[in-house]
Amino acid sequence: MTAGPAGDATDPALARFLRSLAARDASPHTRRAYATAVGAYLDWLAMRGADWRTPSRADLRAYLGVLGEGHARSSVAQRLAAIRSFHRWATRDGLAPGDPWGAIATPRLPRRLPRVLEVEQVTRLLDVIDADIDSAPDHDPDRTAVHLALALRDRAIVETAYAAGLRVSELASAELGRLDLRRGEIRVLGKGRKERIGLLGRPAREALADYLEDGRPVLLERRHGAEAPPVEVFLNHQGGPLGVRGLRYRLDRLCVRAGLPVGVSPHTLRHSFATHLLDGGADLRVVQELLGHENLATTQIYTHVSPGRLQAAYREAHPRARRDGAP
């Protein structure tokens, strides 16, 4: 059977695929990206007169050529990932006999090592926030209260992200009812709506306690309307939930002021959390559990960016790593 134009056999399958993504709690960004990538692919096959269920090797190789024109390698890899996800779904749902891309060699991106901050750089980031706390304007009581509340919030965000290794989406959606300062725990929903516990050291607990006592109530008073108070831990300057974009923007500003390298993001704090744990001697499987990784191989990348751990293992294991028995 040959697929017709885009409004024929392709749209219903794509719509069902996107509904399946929504059912698995894929983010709106992921659904939009997959809709674009898979939609363009199905339209191209339809224009070529090919059945998307069983495209030939020649069809797929020709489409690889189309993707390679004007697209960066990273974009090509992302689009192919979406297309293969669509074919795997179609196979599971009995709409197609298998993944036709399985026998096609596709370009792969080299796995990049994640950016990691030094401990001293994390301290510099926190020092910038401390400077904000100390420099609150004193000529306007209302402005002073808001300035201090935002600074206390920023410190709590950085301390929590670094202490628990949270993703930016997990920070934004963290709820008061899932925070236990006495036990030093915060429960978050990670990828696939899977719950895990993040652990909070003393600095993070103290920063959160200060924010919840002296910062969050000030921001809460700035809400407009009579809607129910937000359940999220971190609020914006208008008393509403601080979203992912707001978190990224705020951290970007702080990183610039701290003189940190371009490209540092909330996820950099998560990478730093994992690397510093390994440097301190934590077991890889413990780090896997704390990060919420399903596959240990995902966590193992941090063994390659942990120079302290590599050097220690080298000194202990190599017979000529030390001279005259000296460390």
Side-chain angles (χ1 to χ4, degrees):
M1 171 181 175
T2 300
D8 216 14
T10 56
D11 276 354
L14 177 56
R16 284 180 57 183
F17 173 59
L18 295 176
R19 286 197 296 271
S20 77
L21 291 178
R24 300 204 309 268
D25 286 315
S27 71
H29 173 77
T30 297
R31 298 202 298 271
R32 285 194 299 270
Y34 276 37
T36 299
V38 178
Y41 167 68
L42 295 178
D43 284 346
W44 184 88
L45 286 175
M47 290 175 59
R48 191 177 171 92
D51 186 345
W52 67 264
R53 301 166 187 82
T54 55
S56 68
R57 291 173 65 91
D59 292 329
L60 300 186
R61 290 188 183 281
Y63 193 66
L64 272 180
V66 170
L67 279 182
E69 296 174 0
H71 292 108
R73 289 183 65 188
S74 57
S75 176
V76 171
Q78 290 166 359
R79 287 168 181 258
L80 287 175
I83 291 167
R84 297 200 63 175
S85 178
F86 168 75
H87 275 293
R88 287 194 294 270
W89 164 83
T91 302
R92 288 195 302 270
D93 273 33
L95 300 180
D99 177 8
W101 287 92
I104 303 294
T106 56
R108 294 182 180 275
L109 288 175
R111 194 168 191 182
R112 295 181 180 177
L113 298 179
R115 180 188 296 274
V116 173
L117 294 177
E118 301 292 338
V119 174
E120 177 270 335
Q121 290 176 310
V122 177
T123 302
R124 277 164 49 193
L125 185 59
L126 291 168
D127 286 345
V128 166
I129 303 173
D130 286 343
D132 281 343
I133 294 174
D134 294 338
S135 65
D138 55 8
H139 59 280
D140 184 338
D142 290 338
R143 187 178 176 189
T144 299
V146 173
H147 178 98
L148 182 59
L150 293 174
L152 290 174
R153 180 206 64 189
D154 290 346
R155 173 173 263 282
I157 287 172
V158 173
E159 288 281 15
T160 302
Y162 180 53
L166 302 187
R167 301 178 177 92
V168 64
S169 59
E170 294 166 349
L171 276 172
S173 62
E175 297 181 358
L176 289 172
R178 296 173 176 269
L179 176 63
D180 188 336
L181 291 184
R182 185 182 62 83
R183 294 173 60 92
E185 295 178 354
I186 182 168
R187 293 179 177 270
V188 296
L189 290 177
K191 289 186 176 180
R193 305 288 293 176
K194 292 183 178 178
E195 185 180 72
R196 79 174 192 282
I197 296 176
L199 303 182
L200 304 169
R202 181 178 296 176
R205 295 200 304 270
E206 291 176 350
L208 281 163
D210 290 343
Y211 163 66
L212 293 177
E213 182 175 349
D214 299 322
R216 194 175 186 278
V218 173
L219 299 177
L220 204 56
E221 289 178 358
R222 295 171 62 81
R223 283 185 308 132
H224 299 295
E227 68 272 13
V231 298
E232 289 82 3
V233 174
F234 299 113
L235 305 182
N236 60 29
H237 69 286
Q238 294 181 326
L242 181 64
V244 169
R245 289 181 64 183
L247 276 162
R248 291 187 186 280
Y249 173 79
R250 191 59 186 159
L251 187 62
D252 284 346
R253 295 283 301 274
L254 293 171
C255 288
V256 169
R257 291 173 52 200
L260 298 185
V262 175
V264 171
S265 69
H267 219 68
T268 307
L269 289 173
R270 177 172 161 87
H271 293 321
S272 305
F273 157 85
T275 303
H276 296 168
L277 275 176
L278 289 170
D279 277 343
D283 182 81
L284 189 63
R285 290 197 178 274
V286 171
V287 178
Q288 175 193 7
E289 184 73 20
L290 291 173
L291 288 171
H293 286 164
E294 287 191 6
N295 194 326
L296 185 64
T298 307
T299 316
Q300 284 175 330
I301 191 172
Y302 294 107
T303 63
H304 300 295
V305 294
S306 179
R309 187 179 180 89
L310 290 176
Q311 290 174 11
Y314 177 75
R315 287 196 302 267
E316 291 174 8
H318 198 283
R320 296 188 64 79
R322 295 175 291 179
R323 181 179 299 175
D324 300 328

